[in-house]
Amino acid sequence: LVYHVKRLTGTLRVQIYAATHPVNPALREGGYLAREFGKPITIGNRVWVGGSAILNPGVTIGDNCVIGSGSVVTKDIPANSVAVGNPCRVIRSTDSDETARGGP
């Protein structure tokens, strides 16, 4: 398994899956090494991952991101993003004014 984690903050039950396999059934035959391999997962600095989120093989989450609880990250998330959902999508920037939303 290959993880590149700089600084991660989050809650419980975050699932990080680096293992994957070919989609083509013929390529999955022929022993363990032919069936499964790993793809790197890269998580930037100051990233918050909410509870029960799932990070799939090969994704990169940029610096200063927030990943919502229960999200399934299937594609790269750019830096300074708030992303949520299944599949996980960017909904806004972390640079936006939180006081307008009732935040700190």
Side-chain angles (χ1 to χ4, degrees):
L1 301 178
V2 182
Y3 307 119
H4 302 282
V5 179
K6 293 180 183 175
R7 189 169 173 194
L8 173 67
T9 307
T11 55
L12 298 175
R13 292 185 284 253
V14 173
Q15 301 169 62
I16 301 175
Y17 296 110
T20 189
H21 57 80
V23 176
N24 184 325
L27 296 176
R28 291 193 303 259
E29 295 177 3
Y32 176 77
L33 294 177
R35 292 190 311 259
E36 191 171 288
F37 56 94
K39 287 187 176 180
I41 295 173
T42 302
I43 301 170
N45 283 312
R46 296 175 305 278
V47 172
W48 177 274
V49 179
S52 299
I54 299 171
L55 309 182
N56 281 325
V59 300
T60 295
I61 299 173
D63 292 342
N64 308 314
C65 285
V66 175
I67 305 298
S69 298
S71 295
V72 179
V73 182
T74 59
K75 297 186 186 301
D76 293 349
I77 304 296
N80 305 307
S81 298
V82 177
V84 299
N86 180 6
C88 194
R89 293 185 192 100
V90 175
I91 59 167
R92 69 181 176 102
S93 168
T94 56
D95 297 329
S96 61
D97 185 8
E98 289 186 356
T99 56
R101 299 180 188 277

